[in-house]
Amino acid sequence: MIPSKGPSKIPSLGYALLGLLQKPSSGYDLRKTFSSTSMKTYSDSPGAIYPALARLEKQGLIRGKVEQGSGMRRRQLFRLTPKGLSELKTWITRPITRDDLLWGQQEIMLRFAFCDTTAGPAAAIALLKSLEAALKTYIPALHEELQTIQSIVPLSARLAFECGVQATETLLEWTRSAITTYEKEEKGGTS
Amino acid sequence: MIPSKGPSKIPSLGYALLGLLQKPSSGYDLRKTFSSTSMKTYSDSPGAIYPALARLEKQGLIRGKVEQGSGMRRRQLFRLTPKGLSELKTWITRPITRDDLLWGQQEIMLRFAFCDTTAGPAAAIALLKSLEAALKTYIPALHEELQTIQSIVPLSARLAFECGVQATETLLEWTRSAITTYEKEEKGGTS
DNA sequence: TATGACATGTAATCTGTTACATGATTAG
DNA sequence: CTAATCATGTAACAGATTACATGTCATA
């Protein structure tokens, strides 16, 4: 007999919401965060967010409570449940694979951005190290592919590919500098 | 009276297909291209590609012909129609806006990669220049946002943001070097 | 002749987009 | 009082994912 819990695959927007809900917020708050900050890649439309929140609540990852203080507009504050926090932590701390790289830095950076508050600085360093490792095997593969397409594709296609390689190399540099920043922070403990 | 043609908004996958179909290919060929090259971001699943091809054909942008030579497996070769080529060219040569930047370099690079064969080197240079212009106004805005979030977000979030800024700056550098590469090519005319 | 690669498709489901709808509260 | 903003939602549709279904051809 299979436990009735489905695999509950959560799309990227769902994790973005979980991460933001470390601070209790209403759907409207979340929409404004998406539309006003650099998270514009995520949809700020009600048709995306409210159903997503409903799904997360049905999965027991968040819990909404209607705020009805005197002279206040009706609004529903959502917050993470323990289960939601653990789901978020699992997602964030999962080691970086090559597939993660193929599917875009976007999601990797979202995970890292939430890492500090969710899983702590040690997890942040671990995530960075696993990213570094993944990049170190990925970049040579990119160079190899560049060699093979070198002569057969038109100039603009080759340049576009080189752009991707450069971006990946920049990412590796950033990763290394982020690691040292973190390690300094750990020792120096300015807080 | 409005002409009955709808706005026919085409998703990114559709344009990727149009670009690849400058060389006549079957659905299977296209799937292999997506799964075996660096275009893994696009789905190689039949449930995505065949319906997409059907839509493009219904819009008159491509045309499929069943190849039934002796001793060959049945397969349908698709090729661009003149209308499809013009649609592709329009999409590629449209100037880069800030929205294009927000929605990801991915699509910009796809446009550029196809630029050479579809619209020629002059269009490639024009596209690069418009990208450069967009980046030049975008990067200062990013720095400003970095300043404002600087102190209020945790370290990992700030670093993630900085990663985005750095990536954008690398993109600008790449753009400039690509422009000089192209201009050299234009004058030197090695072909 | 049976296995695996070629080649094309469909059906169920999920998510997101667009556009619309509703009502409360505050500012002018 | 009325207009704008706050706040939440729904309905119709388009597109992608996953899994399944079908049949051909080459080769061992």
Side-chain angles (χ1 to χ4, degrees), chain A:
Chain A
M1 182 126 131
I2 295 149
S4 61
K5 294 280 152 207
S8 79
K9 233 194 60 191
I10 298 169
S12 198
L13 173 63
Y15 285 111
L17 292 172
L18 288 181
L20 291 175
L21 283 175
Q22 289 176 93
K23 171 180 174 181
S25 317
S26 67
Y28 196 75
D29 293 337
L30 296 163
R31 287 181 59 202
K32 271 196 309 191
T33 300
F34 286 143
S35 64
S36 68
T37 73
S38 54
M39 299 182 79
K40 292 195 205 359
T41 19
Y42 296 98
S43 170
D44 68 327
S45 84
I49 286 177
Y50 290 106
L53 288 171
R55 282 193 296 274
L56 293 173
E57 189 166 31
K58 198 161 60 180
Q59 292 170 74
L61 305 173
I62 64 175
R63 182 192 31 155
K65 198 187 292 184
V66 178
E67 252 194 351
Q68 199 60 284
S70 61
M72 285 194 69
R73 291 180 179 120
R74 170 185 169 264
R75 56 184 234 134
Q76 199 175 3
L77 265 199
F78 291 93
R79 57 189 77 229
L80 277 185
T81 63
K83 189 179 166 194
L85 180 61
S86 113
E87 171 69 42
L88 180 62
K89 205 181 288 187
T90 304
W91 174 71
I92 286 173
T93 56
R94 189 173 49 208
I96 307 283
T97 66
R98 180 166 299 195
D99 278 352
D100 291 326
L101 290 174
L102 285 172
W103 284 97
Q105 301 162 231
Q106 189 89 85
E107 187 161 320
I108 297 174
M109 283 305 136
L110 186 67
R111 285 166 60 183
F112 179 67
F114 289 137
C115 201
D116 238 351
T117 49
T118 309
I125 292 175
L127 191 61
L128 288 170
K129 293 231 163 131
S130 104
L131 175 57
E132 189 194 13
L135 286 169
K136 273 203 290 208
T137 74
Y138 185 50
I139 288 174
L142 284 178
H143 278 288
E144 246 178 75
E145 194 178 347
L146 180 57
Q147 289 301 322
T148 59
I149 66 163
Q150 190 88 304
S151 43
I152 56 171
V153 299
L155 179 56
S156 66
R158 202 187 72 218
L159 286 171
F161 192 90
E162 278 174 8
C163 181
V165 178
Q166 269 186 42
T168 311
E169 284 168 345
T170 302
L171 180 59
L172 177 57
E173 278 171 47
W174 171 89
T175 307
R176 283 171 174 155
S177 100
I179 289 174
T180 61
T181 302
Y182 252 102
E183 283 175 342
K184 223 178 289 174
E185 188 83 353
E186 284 285 75
K187 288 188 181 153
T190 18
S191 70

